[in-house]
Amino acid sequence: MRAVHARLRSALRLTLESGDMAVDDLLLYCRGFCAALDGHHRGEDRTLFPAIAAAHPELRPVLRSLEQDHSMIDYLLGGLQAAVDRSGGPEELRRHLEGVGAIMENHFRYEERKLLTVLESLDLHVTPEEALGPL
């Protein structure tokens, strides 16, 4: 989980730092970041969180909170995707990315604090890609 979060943080940082490049390239970076983050959350929602809930029912409130974060981040990614689709300028894209980044960082820290020790003992028989997304 930490490695996936680190790659997503790096992808966001790279995308934000790409603001001086051509708008078409920036749009491409934004699309890639959106797809990666969305894939990560879908993997958690479909595979990882149900397995954690089954093994550790006491964590269901934490998982519900994390799923709510996923919904909020998905909403923000929708706004970013809309800006990308209409070829929004670099400043507009940066505002969206910074908003996603702020929520994403809080979410990742909470998730790591609450779930990392559980993951060490979780008996999960799926690939990392199924549980954590394509990264």
Side-chain angles (χ1 to χ4, degrees), residues 42-58:
R42 286 181 190 273
E44 288 180 333
D45 289 346
R46 286 187 200 150
T47 304
L48 185 62
F49 290 175
I52 292 171
H56 298 277
E58 73 280 5

mmCIF file of all heavy atoms in Angstrom, residues 42-58:
data_model
loop_
_atom_site.group_PDB
_atom_site.id
_atom_site.type_symbol
_atom_site.label_atom_id
_atom_site.label_comp_id
_atom_site.label_asym_id
_atom_site.label_seq_id
_atom_site.Cartn_x
_atom_site.Cartn_y
_atom_site.Cartn_z
ATOM 1 N N ARG A 42 -10.654 1.728 -6.926
ATOM 2 C CA ARG A 42 -11.565 0.648 -7.330
ATOM 3 C C ARG A 42 -11.074 -0.702 -6.807
ATOM 4 O O ARG A 42 -11.868 -1.527 -6.359
ATOM 5 C CB ARG A 42 -11.716 0.611 -8.848
ATOM 6 C CG ARG A 42 -12.569 1.728 -9.389
ATOM 7 C CD ARG A 42 -12.696 1.622 -10.917
ATOM 8 N NE ARG A 42 -13.303 2.809 -11.468
ATOM 9 C CZ ARG A 42 -14.612 2.982 -11.573
ATOM 10 N NH1 ARG A 42 -15.431 2.044 -11.158
ATOM 11 N NH2 ARG A 42 -15.088 4.103 -12.093
ATOM 12 N N GLY A 43 -9.762 -0.925 -6.879
ATOM 13 C CA GLY A 43 -9.208 -2.168 -6.354
ATOM 14 C C GLY A 43 -9.447 -2.310 -4.862
ATOM 15 O O GLY A 43 -9.807 -3.394 -4.373
ATOM 16 N N GLU A 44 -9.261 -1.228 -4.141
ATOM 17 C CA GLU A 44 -9.511 -1.277 -2.698
ATOM 18 C C GLU A 44 -10.981 -1.548 -2.408
ATOM 19 O O GLU A 44 -11.306 -2.390 -1.570
ATOM 20 C CB GLU A 44 -9.084 0.042 -2.043
ATOM 21 C CG GLU A 44 -7.601 0.228 -1.966
ATOM 22 C CD GLU A 44 -7.198 1.533 -1.318
ATOM 23 O OE1 GLU A 44 -7.981 2.523 -1.363
ATOM 24 O OE2 GLU A 44 -6.095 1.575 -0.758
ATOM 25 N N ASP A 45 -11.875 -0.818 -3.091
ATOM 26 C CA ASP A 45 -13.303 -0.955 -2.825
ATOM 27 C C ASP A 45 -13.824 -2.350 -3.170
ATOM 28 O O ASP A 45 -14.655 -2.906 -2.450
ATOM 29 C CB ASP A 45 -14.109 0.088 -3.607
ATOM 30 C CG ASP A 45 -13.926 1.505 -3.081
ATOM 31 O OD1 ASP A 45 -13.402 1.678 -1.966
ATOM 32 O OD2 ASP A 45 -14.290 2.450 -3.818
ATOM 33 N N ARG A 46 -13.362 -2.923 -4.275
ATOM 34 C CA ARG A 46 -13.874 -4.220 -4.735
ATOM 35 C C ARG A 46 -13.254 -5.408 -4.018
ATOM 36 O O ARG A 46 -13.922 -6.416 -3.817
ATOM 37 C CB ARG A 46 -13.594 -4.379 -6.232
ATOM 38 C CG ARG A 46 -14.458 -3.554 -7.107
ATOM 39 C CD ARG A 46 -14.202 -3.937 -8.559
ATOM 40 N NE ARG A 46 -14.652 -2.857 -9.412
ATOM 41 C CZ ARG A 46 -14.135 -2.557 -10.578
ATOM 42 N NH1 ARG A 46 -13.130 -3.263 -11.051
ATOM 43 N NH2 ARG A 46 -14.598 -1.565 -11.297
ATOM 44 N N THR A 47 -11.970 -5.306 -3.688
ATOM 45 C CA THR A 47 -11.251 -6.488 -3.224
ATOM 46 C C THR A 47 -10.686 -6.330 -1.816
ATOM 47 O O THR A 47 -10.949 -7.158 -0.934
ATOM 48 C CB THR A 47 -10.100 -6.812 -4.205
ATOM 49 O OG1 THR A 47 -10.657 -6.955 -5.513
ATOM 50 C CG2 THR A 47 -9.385 -8.078 -3.813
ATOM 51 N N LEU A 48 -9.899 -5.298 -1.609
ATOM 52 C CA LEU A 48 -9.178 -5.159 -0.343
ATOM 53 C C LEU A 48 -10.110 -4.884 0.835
ATOM 54 O O LEU A 48 -10.045 -5.562 1.863
ATOM 55 C CB LEU A 48 -8.121 -4.064 -0.455
ATOM 56 C CG LEU A 48 -7.218 -3.886 0.758
ATOM 57 C CD1 LEU A 48 -6.415 -5.157 1.018
ATOM 58 C CD2 LEU A 48 -6.289 -2.701 0.549
ATOM 59 N N PHE A 49 -10.964 -3.890 0.708
ATOM 60 C CA PHE A 49 -11.812 -3.517 1.836
ATOM 61 C C PHE A 49 -12.784 -4.629 2.243
ATOM 62 O O PHE A 49 -12.969 -4.866 3.449
ATOM 63 C CB PHE A 49 -12.546 -2.210 1.567
ATOM 64 C CG PHE A 49 -11.651 -0.991 1.559
ATOM 65 C CD1 PHE A 49 -12.169 0.258 1.235
ATOM 66 C CD2 PHE A 49 -10.294 -1.063 1.853
ATOM 67 C CE1 PHE A 49 -11.362 1.392 1.231
ATOM 68 C CE2 PHE A 49 -9.478 0.060 1.842
ATOM 69 C CZ PHE A 49 -10.019 1.292 1.529
ATOM 70 N N PRO A 50 -13.430 -5.337 1.297
ATOM 71 C CA PRO A 50 -14.283 -6.450 1.727
ATOM 72 C C PRO A 50 -13.501 -7.538 2.479
ATOM 73 O O PRO A 50 -14.010 -8.102 3.448
ATOM 74 C CB PRO A 50 -14.869 -6.994 0.418
ATOM 75 C CG PRO A 50 -14.852 -5.814 -0.502
ATOM 76 C CD PRO A 50 -13.592 -5.057 -0.141
ATOM 77 N N ALA A 51 -12.270 -7.794 2.059
ATOM 78 C CA ALA A 51 -11.451 -8.791 2.756
ATOM 79 C C ALA A 51 -11.099 -8.316 4.164
ATOM 80 O O ALA A 51 -11.133 -9.109 5.118
ATOM 81 C CB ALA A 51 -10.181 -9.079 1.956
ATOM 82 N N ILE A 52 -10.778 -7.053 4.305
ATOM 83 C CA ILE A 52 -10.475 -6.505 5.633
ATOM 84 C C ILE A 52 -11.721 -6.548 6.513
ATOM 85 O O ILE A 52 -11.655 -6.945 7.682
ATOM 86 C CB ILE A 52 -9.914 -5.068 5.532
ATOM 87 C CG1 ILE A 52 -8.531 -5.080 4.871
ATOM 88 C CG2 ILE A 52 -9.845 -4.424 6.911
ATOM 89 C CD1 ILE A 52 -7.994 -3.694 4.541
ATOM 90 N N ALA A 53 -12.873 -6.173 5.957
ATOM 91 C CA ALA A 53 -14.118 -6.183 6.730
ATOM 92 C C ALA A 53 -14.462 -7.587 7.226
ATOM 93 O O ALA A 53 -14.923 -7.753 8.353
ATOM 94 C CB ALA A 53 -15.259 -5.617 5.897
ATOM 95 N N ALA A 54 -14.205 -8.583 6.380
ATOM 96 C CA ALA A 54 -14.499 -9.963 6.779
ATOM 97 C C ALA A 54 -13.565 -10.437 7.892
ATOM 98 O O ALA A 54 -14.001 -11.110 8.833
ATOM 99 C CB ALA A 54 -14.387 -10.888 5.565
ATOM 100 N N ALA A 55 -12.301 -10.065 7.801
ATOM 101 C CA ALA A 55 -11.315 -10.509 8.786
ATOM 102 C C ALA A 55 -11.301 -9.656 10.049
ATOM 103 O O ALA A 55 -10.950 -10.134 11.127
ATOM 104 C CB ALA A 55 -9.918 -10.521 8.161
ATOM 105 N N HIS A 56 -11.682 -8.390 9.901
ATOM 106 C CA HIS A 56 -11.632 -7.437 11.028
ATOM 107 C C HIS A 56 -12.899 -6.580 11.036
ATOM 108 O O HIS A 56 -12.876 -5.401 10.679
ATOM 109 C CB HIS A 56 -10.398 -6.534 10.894
ATOM 110 C CG HIS A 56 -9.112 -7.272 10.942
ATOM 111 N ND1 HIS A 56 -8.506 -7.627 12.125
ATOM 112 C CD2 HIS A 56 -8.320 -7.752 9.946
ATOM 113 C CE1 HIS A 56 -7.384 -8.278 11.862
ATOM 114 N NE2 HIS A 56 -7.253 -8.375 10.546
ATOM 115 N N PRO A 57 -14.019 -7.154 11.462
ATOM 116 C CA PRO A 57 -15.283 -6.406 11.439
ATOM 117 C C PRO A 57 -15.241 -5.104 12.235
ATOM 118 O O PRO A 57 -15.977 -4.162 11.943
ATOM 119 C CB PRO A 57 -16.307 -7.376 12.010
ATOM 120 C CG PRO A 57 -15.606 -8.632 12.321
ATOM 121 C CD PRO A 57 -14.171 -8.502 11.961
ATOM 122 N N GLU A 58 -14.366 -5.032 13.224
ATOM 123 C CA GLU A 58 -14.253 -3.809 14.022
ATOM 124 C C GLU A 58 -13.753 -2.625 13.194
ATOM 125 O O GLU A 58 -13.892 -1.460 13.612
ATOM 126 C CB GLU A 58 -13.333 -4.035 15.225
ATOM 127 C CG GLU A 58 -11.843 -4.139 14.905
ATOM 128 C CD GLU A 58 -11.375 -5.495 14.369
ATOM 129 O OE1 GLU A 58 -12.204 -6.394 14.133
ATOM 130 O OE2 GLU A 58 -10.153 -5.643 14.186
#
